[in-house]
Amino acid sequence: LKALGSEGVRKMSEMAVLSSVYLFGRLNKLYPTLPRETEKIPRMHEFIITLNQEHFDQITKAGIPKNQIIGRLGKLFLDFGIHAPTVSFPEPFGLMIEPTESYTKNELDRFYEILKGIKQL
């Protein structure tokens, strides 16, 4: 914080919020938000998404217990070479996404494409 100074911290915070708002604006069309029915509430630097019930049902029918699904979903990000979102906290079946100020638009778009691809599985 000292090295950035007050202007640097302000810019860093603005970029983190801008990244989150951009990504949330794209992802909330694909995934339900948590807490439920909060998709219209403005976000700042983070947001939480989850799978819809149909996807949870499909995955559990394939033999994966529901309480393991979100953790495994988070692991997929690592498989794609991207830092995984926070899994199962603060919502047990949620992915808390916090794009940092260092994410480029290309990285945000790649993050979106990964989640879009996962939804289509």
Side-chain angles (χ1 to χ4, degrees):
L1 292 174
K2 198 173 190 179
L4 290 172
S6 62
E7 271 307 303
V9 170
R10 178 173 290 124
K11 175 123 175 104
M12 179 183 70
S13 300
E14 289 170 354
M15 292 306 296
V17 170
L18 182 63
S19 294
S20 182
V21 168
Y22 172 74
L23 197 53
F24 179 70
R26 297 187 76 194
L27 288 174
N28 79 345
K29 295 174 180 115
L30 296 177
Y31 288 93
T33 58
L34 292 176
R36 298 278 183 201
E37 300 180 22
T38 61
E39 61 278 346
K40 296 198 187 305
I41 295 174
R43 299 305 198 272
M44 292 300 281
H45 69 286
E46 66 187 17
F47 58 92
I48 304 170
I49 60 172
T50 191
L51 299 175
N52 61 35
Q53 190 58 50
E54 178 184 328
H55 281 104
F56 276 117
D57 292 345
Q58 287 175 338
I59 296 168
T60 55
K61 283 182 187 173
I64 299 171
K66 186 175 180 179
N67 66 347
Q68 293 180 14
I69 293 172
I70 294 298
R72 290 185 181 202
L73 185 57
K75 167 80 171 70
L76 286 175
F77 284 87
L78 300 175
D79 294 342
F80 284 107
I82 291 183
H83 183 76
T86 302
V87 297
S88 303
F89 180 84
E91 295 278 350
F93 296 105
L95 290 168
M96 184 169 61
I97 299 172
E98 303 175 82
T100 68
E101 70 285 349
S102 64
Y103 273 52
T104 65
K105 184 173 180 300
N106 287 342
E107 290 170 320
L108 293 169
D109 290 339
R110 183 163 182 249
F111 197 96
Y112 168 80
E113 290 299 326
I114 289 169
L115 275 162
K116 182 180 170 187
I118 288 170
K119 181 156 177 79
Q120 294 171 351
L121 293 176

